Amino acid sequence: MVDARGTRLVWYGLLAVTSGVFVLAMLPPVLSASLQGVVREGFAPVCHQLPGRSLHVGGVPVALCDRCSGMYAGLVVGVAGTGWGHSLWATLGPYSRYALLGALVPLGLDWMGPLLSLWGNGPVSRALTGLLFGSVAASYVTAQLLHRKARASGTGGPD
């Protein structure tokens, strides 16, 4: 029982960290100008933060672009879904990597279309493709971590 509780605590920790980082990225519109700069600097290494490609709340952009906002929201969704439901990843077994790679396809197409002048994209398509990839990637990584923690604890891991 204690070992299963340890695995559950890992999941809670992952959920808290991913949720906290997402909320932090969304905070600039409600922060003072100096704190907005600090938060934006923190996210600058992982996102271009172009104002024209970022969600604005009250005229102030959040610390991430549309696509990265979708990915970070997807991290929360993916971790939450893995902890609450049965693991799809165990069912997929060795094919799970293909599902992970498959989640990159819409993201890549959404990025490549405008680059090659084939079609345009907008904030919704960027956010949704980011959400899809972030959810799948976080779910995959979370399932792997929980399975390893459960095996190390002797509980066998999630289904």
Side-chain angles (χ1 to χ4, degrees):
M1 185 67 153
V2 173
D3 295 333
R5 186 174 294 154
T7 302
R8 185 58 80 182
L9 285 175
V10 169
W11 177 70
Y12 287 141
L14 290 169
L15 189 58
V17 168
T18 55
S19 298
V21 170
F22 178 69
V23 167
L24 181 63
M26 298 296 119
L27 278 180
V30 298
L31 297 175
S32 67
S34 60
L35 287 177
Q36 287 176 16
V38 171
V39 172
R40 281 199 182 82
E41 269 307 303
F43 286 96
V46 295
C47 180
H48 59 67
Q49 302 174 332
L50 295 175
R53 290 183 171 242
S54 298
L55 173 68
H56 286 65
V57 178
V60 178
V62 298
L64 296 168
C65 70
D66 298 324
R67 186 170 285 122
C68 289
S69 294
M71 281 192 251
Y72 278 67
L75 294 177
V76 177
V77 170
V79 170
T82 302
W84 284 326
H86 293 314
S87 179
L88 170 68
W89 302 109
T91 305
L92 291 174
Y95 301 106
S96 60
R97 293 180 193 155
Y98 297 116
L100 183 60
L101 289 173
L104 275 172
V105 172
L107 189 93
L109 290 173
D110 189 58
W111 173 79
M112 231 179 356
L115 186 70
L116 299 174
S117 299
L118 298 174
W119 58 79
N121 66 13
V124 173
S125 70
R126 289 190 294 265
L128 288 177
T129 56
L131 179 71
L132 173 67
F133 176 71
S135 299
V136 172
S139 177
Y140 178 80
V141 170
T142 301
Q144 295 297 319
L145 289 172
L146 294 178
H147 181 71
R148 288 176 191 214
K149 170 63 176 153
R151 272 197 351 225
S153 302
T155 59
D159 294 340

